[in-house]
Amino acid sequence: MEQTNTKFLPVSKADMAERGWEEYDFLLITGDAYVDHPSFGSAIISRLLEREGYRVAVLAQPDWRRPQSFTALGRPRLGVLISSGNIDSMVAHYTVAKKRRHDDAYSPGNRAGLRPDHAVVVYANRVREVFRDIPVIIGGLEASLRRFAHYDYWDDKVRRGVLFDSQADLLVYGMGERATKEIAARLASGTPVSDIRDVKGTAYIAKGPAECVYPKVEVASYEAVCADKRSYAEANMAEYREHDPIVGRAILQRHGGDLLVVNPPAMPLTTAELDAVAELPYVREPHPMYDALGGVPAIEEVRFSVAHNRGCFGACNFCSLAFHQGRIVSARSHESVIREVTALTKHAGFKGYIHDVGGPTANFRRPACQKQMKAGLCKNRACLSPEACPNLDADHTDYLMLLRKLREIPGVKKVFIRSGIRYDFMMRDKSGEFCAELVKHHISGQLKVAPEHCVNGVLDYMGKPHIEVYEKFRQKYERLNQKYEKEQYLVPYLMSSHPGCTLEDAVRLAEWLNASGRQPEQVQDFYPTPGTLSTCMYYTGIDPRTMQQVFVPTDPHDKAMQRALMQWKRPEKRALVQEALRRAHREDLIGYGKGCLLRPNGGAPYAHRSGEKPAGRGKGGVGAKGRPSDRPDKRGKGDAPAGDGRPAPKRKAGWAAPKPKKNTRPGRGKKKL
């Protein structure tokens, strides 16, 4: 995997002239900066087409306000491929409170505003304007999640399938390598794009159902799902269940006089195919045109990381992975991953640390069970929640062997795992060997896991395991840290305001945190992203799995109270927490007892009545500063509790909180929070 002689793909006519190109085959437009790294979908597709012999030029973040920006490289011979980038453009632009973000890690210099809202639609319309009848194929996460009629949180309405607004000819959903390769071959052979109707993993607009060559099912029309929320929920559940490459059917959805046809999903790549994609000749860096602009921050998280798998059978209801990458896991070979890590050791900036060997879920290396590859995915149950399926294959030996091999590569000092670990899956591994080696070798100070909540009813709506599983894991993690004399902390990701979470449930979460001696510095409010089951619950008030009504916190003030309860010690949250406790009739938590959240004396956190001994202080420490993150694909990294200014007592291994420095300045009683 020697990269020194690798060139970036052309981004200008000068680059094309240097290669001796008078014309090129495909123009790839992306809403991200041009980063030629396998963690960027646009880089994968462009390098894949290059390997197939096509000439590909890259147009990154064109100025959508100027049509001539889209003609800067001339007209391609075969077609235009369009993606908004690695995340939905609306998530990139707005917080969960619908406030404009001030930065964008996928843009040069972390600068926001370099792509439009609904980027796929805007880019495709501009291409139609300047190139007229050229084949336009849209793909990437934004197009994938918006392929059907879908609720859009930012517009607060149901939008049409993105093909209709974009005027594109084809939509590629999922990871896209198989479909893109086949579409390119058909176009190169002279097949009109209007005749490409049978490629799995694609969608198109038809005049009637006869154009669909696969077994099919029709869901409620766009007009019906706009008018009736029950119809929306039924359609969403059908779309989710048919996302199965083994037995999934094509889905038809009428939009007025036209018919959206979504073909069955493409099969996941085999190990050999995944190896080949991972080892395409990427430069593995942002294009040098961004150097003077401050580079592209997103590369820092992945430069020395390795993705070894795809897909996730965890199937959390709020996560877009199940509807994009799918629930069948595929993985690379040990040899391929070893070659990539060995190449990284030769990088000029490598310091001996592999930051991550992971993927959507780090400790998945195979399908959940062999039945999946023969009979498809189970329609009416999840693999891990509310309890693990008896057929689940939880053997971690293969992943463990891979990590051991990577640790032995010359030049590698440490191999860390920083992407998601499913602790419930790990607890099903009877040997316990992986968990022990994880603690001994692969944690960089903190292990981040996602219990999300402590109330089992809420966890059921989330599609997460019950809290007892997390508690058992936490205890095991503490024991192992003590056994190996490690001071490593456990960082639990938690979510407020998910459908099904009442104010009373939020209070119970605060009580659980208080009893645990924790308070998150950064918390996640539920973010309704297109296509997920949780977003369906948010919009319809119906759980699409059962068609039963579900409580949904939508009022901004109610959501703010739920969020504040998770950070009850913060002085600025006091009024909200006090209001929440009174609304929930939990005034018993305002007082001086050990389990109380608030002290009643004028807002002073640890004030006591005259002549009364003050109550014992909790285990809070001083929190690190940080802006809360509410991107569903990138949460905040800090999880240290806030305190009253006094040094925190020493914690047992297993709980995340950096030790605060003692206040040594004379005459100062409290640290500034």
PDB file of all heavy atoms in Angstrom, residues 350-375:
ATOM      1  N   PHE A 350       3.348   9.480  11.849  1.00  0.00           N
ATOM      2  CA  PHE A 350       2.965   8.375  12.734  1.00  0.00           C
ATOM      3  C   PHE A 350       3.847   8.339  13.976  1.00  0.00           C
ATOM      4  O   PHE A 350       5.073   8.367  13.883  1.00  0.00           O
ATOM      5  CB  PHE A 350       3.060   7.052  11.978  1.00  0.00           C
ATOM      6  CG  PHE A 350       2.564   5.863  12.756  1.00  0.00           C
ATOM      7  CD1 PHE A 350       1.219   5.724  13.054  1.00  0.00           C
ATOM      8  CD2 PHE A 350       3.448   4.880  13.186  1.00  0.00           C
ATOM      9  CE1 PHE A 350       0.748   4.629  13.762  1.00  0.00           C
ATOM     10  CE2 PHE A 350       2.990   3.777  13.899  1.00  0.00           C
ATOM     11  CZ  PHE A 350       1.638   3.655  14.191  1.00  0.00           C
ATOM     12  N   LYS A 351       3.217   8.277  15.152  1.00  0.00           N
ATOM     13  CA  LYS A 351       3.933   8.280  16.426  1.00  0.00           C
ATOM     14  C   LYS A 351       3.875   6.936  17.135  1.00  0.00           C
ATOM     15  O   LYS A 351       4.251   6.830  18.303  1.00  0.00           O
ATOM     16  CB  LYS A 351       3.345   9.354  17.352  1.00  0.00           C
ATOM     17  CG  LYS A 351       3.325  10.757  16.763  1.00  0.00           C
ATOM     18  CD  LYS A 351       4.722  11.275  16.459  1.00  0.00           C
ATOM     19  CE  LYS A 351       4.671  12.711  15.947  1.00  0.00           C
ATOM     20  NZ  LYS A 351       6.024  13.204  15.561  1.00  0.00           N
ATOM     21  N   GLY A 352       3.362   5.926  16.469  1.00  0.00           N
ATOM     22  CA  GLY A 352       3.309   4.605  17.068  1.00  0.00           C
ATOM     23  C   GLY A 352       1.942   4.185  17.556  1.00  0.00           C
ATOM     24  O   GLY A 352       1.788   3.085  18.087  1.00  0.00           O
ATOM     25  N   TYR A 353       0.928   5.054  17.362  1.00  0.00           N
ATOM     26  CA  TYR A 353      -0.393   4.782  17.922  1.00  0.00           C
ATOM     27  C   TYR A 353      -1.437   4.642  16.814  1.00  0.00           C
ATOM     28  O   TYR A 353      -1.654   5.576  16.037  1.00  0.00           O
ATOM     29  CB  TYR A 353      -0.808   5.897  18.881  1.00  0.00           C
ATOM     30  CG  TYR A 353       0.155   6.066  20.022  1.00  0.00           C
ATOM     31  CD1 TYR A 353       1.140   7.053  19.979  1.00  0.00           C
ATOM     32  CD2 TYR A 353       0.109   5.217  21.128  1.00  0.00           C
ATOM     33  CE1 TYR A 353       2.047   7.200  21.028  1.00  0.00           C
ATOM     34  CE2 TYR A 353       1.006   5.358  22.176  1.00  0.00           C
ATOM     35  CZ  TYR A 353       1.967   6.335  22.109  1.00  0.00           C
ATOM     36  OH  TYR A 353       2.877   6.474  23.141  1.00  0.00           O
ATOM     37  N   ILE A 354      -2.075   3.487  16.757  1.00  0.00           N
ATOM     38  CA  ILE A 354      -3.244   3.287  15.895  1.00  0.00           C
ATOM     39  C   ILE A 354      -4.453   3.734  16.718  1.00  0.00           C
ATOM     40  O   ILE A 354      -4.767   3.143  17.746  1.00  0.00           O
ATOM     41  CB  ILE A 354      -3.382   1.817  15.468  1.00  0.00           C
ATOM     42  CG1 ILE A 354      -2.145   1.378  14.679  1.00  0.00           C
ATOM     43  CG2 ILE A 354      -4.650   1.610  14.662  1.00  0.00           C
ATOM     44  CD1 ILE A 354      -1.914   2.149  13.396  1.00  0.00           C
ATOM     45  N   HIS A 355      -5.117   4.763  16.264  1.00  0.00           N
ATOM     46  CA  HIS A 355      -6.171   5.381  17.067  1.00  0.00           C
ATOM     47  C   HIS A 355      -7.429   4.546  17.159  1.00  0.00           C
ATOM     48  O   HIS A 355      -8.171   4.639  18.138  1.00  0.00           O
ATOM     49  CB  HIS A 355      -6.503   6.770  16.503  1.00  0.00           C
ATOM     50  CG  HIS A 355      -5.358   7.723  16.605  1.00  0.00           C
ATOM     51  ND1 HIS A 355      -5.300   8.917  15.900  1.00  0.00           N
ATOM     52  CD2 HIS A 355      -4.209   7.674  17.322  1.00  0.00           C
ATOM     53  CE1 HIS A 355      -4.180   9.549  16.183  1.00  0.00           C
ATOM     54  NE2 HIS A 355      -3.500   8.812  17.037  1.00  0.00           N
ATOM     55  N   ASP A 356      -7.681   3.736  16.137  1.00  0.00           N
ATOM     56  CA  ASP A 356      -8.910   2.937  16.168  1.00  0.00           C
ATOM     57  C   ASP A 356      -8.806   1.789  15.172  1.00  0.00           C
ATOM     58  O   ASP A 356      -8.257   1.955  14.077  1.00  0.00           O
ATOM     59  CB  ASP A 356     -10.123   3.810  15.831  1.00  0.00           C
ATOM     60  CG  ASP A 356     -11.460   3.106  16.068  1.00  0.00           C
ATOM     61  OD1 ASP A 356     -11.483   2.151  16.868  1.00  0.00           O
ATOM     62  OD2 ASP A 356     -12.461   3.511  15.456  1.00  0.00           O
ATOM     63  N   VAL A 357      -9.293   0.632  15.566  1.00  0.00           N
ATOM     64  CA  VAL A 357      -9.534  -0.474  14.642  1.00  0.00           C
ATOM     65  C   VAL A 357     -11.005  -0.815  14.828  1.00  0.00           C
ATOM     66  O   VAL A 357     -11.385  -1.570  15.724  1.00  0.00           O
ATOM     67  CB  VAL A 357      -8.647  -1.694  14.948  1.00  0.00           C
ATOM     68  CG1 VAL A 357      -8.925  -2.815  13.948  1.00  0.00           C
ATOM     69  CG2 VAL A 357      -7.178  -1.307  14.904  1.00  0.00           C
ATOM     70  N   GLY A 358     -11.837  -0.175  14.052  1.00  0.00           N
ATOM     71  CA  GLY A 358     -13.262  -0.281  14.321  1.00  0.00           C
ATOM     72  C   GLY A 358     -14.110  -0.196  13.081  1.00  0.00           C
ATOM     73  O   GLY A 358     -13.749  -0.690  12.017  1.00  0.00           O
ATOM     74  N   GLY A 359     -15.245   0.449  13.231  1.00  0.00           N
ATOM     75  CA  GLY A 359     -16.235   0.552  12.172  1.00  0.00           C
ATOM     76  C   GLY A 359     -17.528   1.029  12.794  1.00  0.00           C
ATOM     77  O   GLY A 359     -17.523   1.651  13.857  1.00  0.00           O
ATOM     78  N   PRO A 360     -18.668   0.741  12.168  1.00  0.00           N
ATOM     79  CA  PRO A 360     -19.942   1.125  12.791  1.00  0.00           C
ATOM     80  C   PRO A 360     -20.057   0.606  14.226  1.00  0.00           C
ATOM     81  O   PRO A 360     -20.483   1.316  15.122  1.00  0.00           O
ATOM     82  CB  PRO A 360     -20.977   0.487  11.872  1.00  0.00           C
ATOM     83  CG  PRO A 360     -20.287   0.368  10.557  1.00  0.00           C
ATOM     84  CD  PRO A 360     -18.858   0.080  10.875  1.00  0.00           C
ATOM     85  N   THR A 361     -19.709  -0.659  14.433  1.00  0.00           N
ATOM     86  CA  THR A 361     -19.557  -1.237  15.770  1.00  0.00           C
ATOM     87  C   THR A 361     -18.262  -2.034  15.758  1.00  0.00           C
ATOM     88  O   THR A 361     -18.101  -2.962  14.958  1.00  0.00           O
ATOM     89  CB  THR A 361     -20.741  -2.147  16.126  1.00  0.00           C
ATOM     90  OG1 THR A 361     -21.933  -1.351  16.169  1.00  0.00           O
ATOM     91  CG2 THR A 361     -20.527  -2.797  17.489  1.00  0.00           C
ATOM     92  N   ALA A 362     -17.337  -1.681  16.638  1.00  0.00           N
ATOM     93  CA  ALA A 362     -15.976  -2.193  16.521  1.00  0.00           C
ATOM     94  C   ALA A 362     -15.889  -3.707  16.682  1.00  0.00           C
ATOM     95  O   ALA A 362     -15.105  -4.360  15.997  1.00  0.00           O
ATOM     96  CB  ALA A 362     -15.082  -1.505  17.556  1.00  0.00           C
ATOM     97  N   ASN A 363     -16.676  -4.276  17.606  1.00  0.00           N
ATOM     98  CA  ASN A 363     -16.489  -5.690  17.918  1.00  0.00           C
ATOM     99  C   ASN A 363     -17.438  -6.627  17.167  1.00  0.00           C
ATOM    100  O   ASN A 363     -17.732  -7.721  17.623  1.00  0.00           O
ATOM    101  CB  ASN A 363     -16.579  -5.939  19.429  1.00  0.00           C
ATOM    102  CG  ASN A 363     -17.860  -5.435  20.068  1.00  0.00           C
ATOM    103  OD1 ASN A 363     -18.410  -4.424  19.653  1.00  0.00           O
ATOM    104  ND2 ASN A 363     -18.327  -6.122  21.091  1.00  0.00           N
ATOM    105  N   PHE A 364     -17.906  -6.207  15.974  1.00  0.00           N
ATOM    106  CA  PHE A 364     -18.642  -7.089  15.079  1.00  0.00           C
ATOM    107  C   PHE A 364     -17.721  -7.506  13.932  1.00  0.00           C
ATOM    108  O   PHE A 364     -17.152  -6.646  13.245  1.00  0.00           O
ATOM    109  CB  PHE A 364     -19.866  -6.384  14.485  1.00  0.00           C
ATOM    110  CG  PHE A 364     -20.979  -6.107  15.465  1.00  0.00           C
ATOM    111  CD1 PHE A 364     -22.069  -5.342  15.066  1.00  0.00           C
ATOM    112  CD2 PHE A 364     -20.953  -6.583  16.758  1.00  0.00           C
ATOM    113  CE1 PHE A 364     -23.111  -5.077  15.947  1.00  0.00           C
ATOM    114  CE2 PHE A 364     -21.977  -6.318  17.648  1.00  0.00           C
ATOM    115  CZ  PHE A 364     -23.061  -5.562  17.244  1.00  0.00           C
ATOM    116  N   ARG A 365     -17.586  -8.809  13.735  1.00  0.00           N
ATOM    117  CA  ARG A 365     -16.729  -9.306  12.659  1.00  0.00           C
ATOM    118  C   ARG A 365     -17.454 -10.257  11.710  1.00  0.00           C
ATOM    119  O   ARG A 365     -16.873 -10.703  10.725  1.00  0.00           O
ATOM    120  CB  ARG A 365     -15.517 -10.036  13.249  1.00  0.00           C
ATOM    121  CG  ARG A 365     -14.424  -9.162  13.808  1.00  0.00           C
ATOM    122  CD  ARG A 365     -13.548  -8.573  12.730  1.00  0.00           C
ATOM    123  NE  ARG A 365     -12.814  -9.549  11.963  1.00  0.00           N
ATOM    124  CZ  ARG A 365     -12.088  -9.258  10.885  1.00  0.00           C
ATOM    125  NH1 ARG A 365     -12.037  -8.018  10.440  1.00  0.00           N
ATOM    126  NH2 ARG A 365     -11.447 -10.207  10.230  1.00  0.00           N
ATOM    127  N   ARG A 366     -18.695 -10.568  11.991  1.00  0.00           N
ATOM    128  CA  ARG A 366     -19.419 -11.533  11.158  1.00  0.00           C
ATOM    129  C   ARG A 366     -20.921 -11.275  11.308  1.00  0.00           C
ATOM    130  O   ARG A 366     -21.332 -10.535  12.213  1.00  0.00           O
ATOM    131  CB  ARG A 366     -19.102 -12.956  11.591  1.00  0.00           C
ATOM    132  CG  ARG A 366     -19.556 -13.283  13.002  1.00  0.00           C
ATOM    133  CD  ARG A 366     -19.310 -14.730  13.352  1.00  0.00           C
ATOM    134  NE  ARG A 366     -17.896 -15.046  13.392  1.00  0.00           N
ATOM    135  CZ  ARG A 366     -17.108 -14.806  14.443  1.00  0.00           C
ATOM    136  NH1 ARG A 366     -17.600 -14.222  15.533  1.00  0.00           N
ATOM    137  NH2 ARG A 366     -15.839 -15.121  14.423  1.00  0.00           N
ATOM    138  N   PRO A 367     -21.752 -11.869  10.469  1.00  0.00           N
ATOM    139  CA  PRO A 367     -23.197 -11.757  10.669  1.00  0.00           C
ATOM    140  C   PRO A 367     -23.599 -12.268  12.046  1.00  0.00           C
ATOM    141  O   PRO A 367     -22.904 -13.101  12.646  1.00  0.00           O
ATOM    142  CB  PRO A 367     -23.775 -12.628   9.556  1.00  0.00           C
ATOM    143  CG  PRO A 367     -22.734 -12.624   8.492  1.00  0.00           C
ATOM    144  CD  PRO A 367     -21.423 -12.588   9.221  1.00  0.00           C
ATOM    145  N   ALA A 368     -24.721 -11.781  12.552  1.00  0.00           N
ATOM    146  CA  ALA A 368     -25.158 -12.143  13.904  1.00  0.00           C
ATOM    147  C   ALA A 368     -25.350 -13.640  14.060  1.00  0.00           C
ATOM    148  O   ALA A 368     -25.091 -14.207  15.123  1.00  0.00           O
ATOM    149  CB  ALA A 368     -26.457 -11.408  14.243  1.00  0.00           C
ATOM    150  N   CYS A 369     -25.801 -14.290  13.005  1.00  0.00           N
ATOM    151  CA  CYS A 369     -25.966 -15.747  13.029  1.00  0.00           C
ATOM    152  C   CYS A 369     -25.931 -16.250  11.594  1.00  0.00           C
ATOM    153  O   CYS A 369     -26.112 -15.485  10.645  1.00  0.00           O
ATOM    154  CB  CYS A 369     -27.265 -16.151  13.722  1.00  0.00           C
ATOM    155  SG  CYS A 369     -28.758 -15.662  12.820  1.00  0.00           S
ATOM    156  N   GLN A 370     -25.706 -17.541  11.428  1.00  0.00           N
ATOM    157  CA  GLN A 370     -25.637 -18.113  10.088  1.00  0.00           C
ATOM    158  C   GLN A 370     -26.995 -18.094   9.384  1.00  0.00           C
ATOM    159  O   GLN A 370     -27.068 -18.074   8.154  1.00  0.00           O
ATOM    160  CB  GLN A 370     -25.105 -19.543  10.165  1.00  0.00           C
ATOM    161  CG  GLN A 370     -23.644 -19.618  10.560  1.00  0.00           C
ATOM    162  CD  GLN A 370     -22.756 -18.780   9.642  1.00  0.00           C
ATOM    163  OE1 GLN A 370     -22.831 -18.909   8.422  1.00  0.00           O
ATOM    164  NE2 GLN A 370     -21.925 -17.925  10.225  1.00  0.00           N
ATOM    165  N   LYS A 371     -28.051 -18.061  10.159  1.00  0.00           N
ATOM    166  CA  LYS A 371     -29.393 -18.037   9.586  1.00  0.00           C
ATOM    167  C   LYS A 371     -29.596 -16.795   8.708  1.00  0.00           C
ATOM    168  O   LYS A 371     -30.306 -16.853   7.694  1.00  0.00           O
ATOM    169  CB  LYS A 371     -30.420 -18.057  10.719  1.00  0.00           C
ATOM    170  CG  LYS A 371     -31.866 -17.975  10.261  1.00  0.00           C
ATOM    171  CD  LYS A 371     -32.799 -17.896  11.459  1.00  0.00           C
ATOM    172  CE  LYS A 371     -34.238 -17.656  11.009  1.00  0.00           C
ATOM    173  NZ  LYS A 371     -35.155 -17.499  12.155  1.00  0.00           N
ATOM    174  N   GLN A 372     -28.975 -15.679   9.091  1.00  0.00           N
ATOM    175  CA  GLN A 372     -29.148 -14.448   8.326  1.00  0.00           C
ATOM    176  C   GLN A 372     -28.751 -14.621   6.873  1.00  0.00           C
ATOM    177  O   GLN A 372     -29.394 -14.079   5.970  1.00  0.00           O
ATOM    178  CB  GLN A 372     -28.307 -13.326   8.948  1.00  0.00           C
ATOM    179  CG  GLN A 372     -28.914 -12.687  10.180  1.00  0.00           C
ATOM    180  CD  GLN A 372     -28.120 -11.480  10.629  1.00  0.00           C
ATOM    181  OE1 GLN A 372     -26.984 -11.267  10.224  1.00  0.00           O
ATOM    182  NE2 GLN A 372     -28.711 -10.681  11.504  1.00  0.00           N
ATOM    183  N   MET A 373     -27.681 -15.341   6.609  1.00  0.00           N
ATOM    184  CA  MET A 373     -27.173 -15.462   5.249  1.00  0.00           C
ATOM    185  C   MET A 373     -27.994 -16.434   4.394  1.00  0.00           C
ATOM    186  O   MET A 373     -27.824 -16.499   3.186  1.00  0.00           O
ATOM    187  CB  MET A 373     -25.710 -15.897   5.274  1.00  0.00           C
ATOM    188  CG  MET A 373     -24.807 -14.951   6.038  1.00  0.00           C
ATOM    189  SD  MET A 373     -24.971 -13.217   5.510  1.00  0.00           S
ATOM    190  CE  MET A 373     -24.361 -13.299   3.832  1.00  0.00           C
ATOM    191  N   LYS A 374     -28.892 -17.182   5.030  1.00  0.00           N
ATOM    192  CA  LYS A 374     -29.739 -18.125   4.294  1.00  0.00           C
ATOM    193  C   LYS A 374     -31.184 -17.654   4.206  1.00  0.00           C
ATOM    194  O   LYS A 374     -31.798 -17.714   3.142  1.00  0.00           O
ATOM    195  CB  LYS A 374     -29.687 -19.497   4.965  1.00  0.00           C
ATOM    196  CG  LYS A 374     -28.303 -20.131   4.974  1.00  0.00           C
ATOM    197  CD  LYS A 374     -28.317 -21.456   5.734  1.00  0.00           C
ATOM    198  CE  LYS A 374     -26.931 -22.090   5.776  1.00  0.00           C
ATOM    199  NZ  LYS A 374     -26.925 -23.358   6.556  1.00  0.00           N
ATOM    200  N   ALA A 375     -31.705 -17.192   5.338  1.00  0.00           N
ATOM    201  CA  ALA A 375     -33.125 -16.845   5.396  1.00  0.00           C
ATOM    202  C   ALA A 375     -33.373 -15.347   5.532  1.00  0.00           C
ATOM    203  O   ALA A 375     -34.520 -14.912   5.593  1.00  0.00           O
ATOM    204  CB  ALA A 375     -33.794 -17.575   6.560  1.00  0.00           C
TER     205      ALA A 375
END
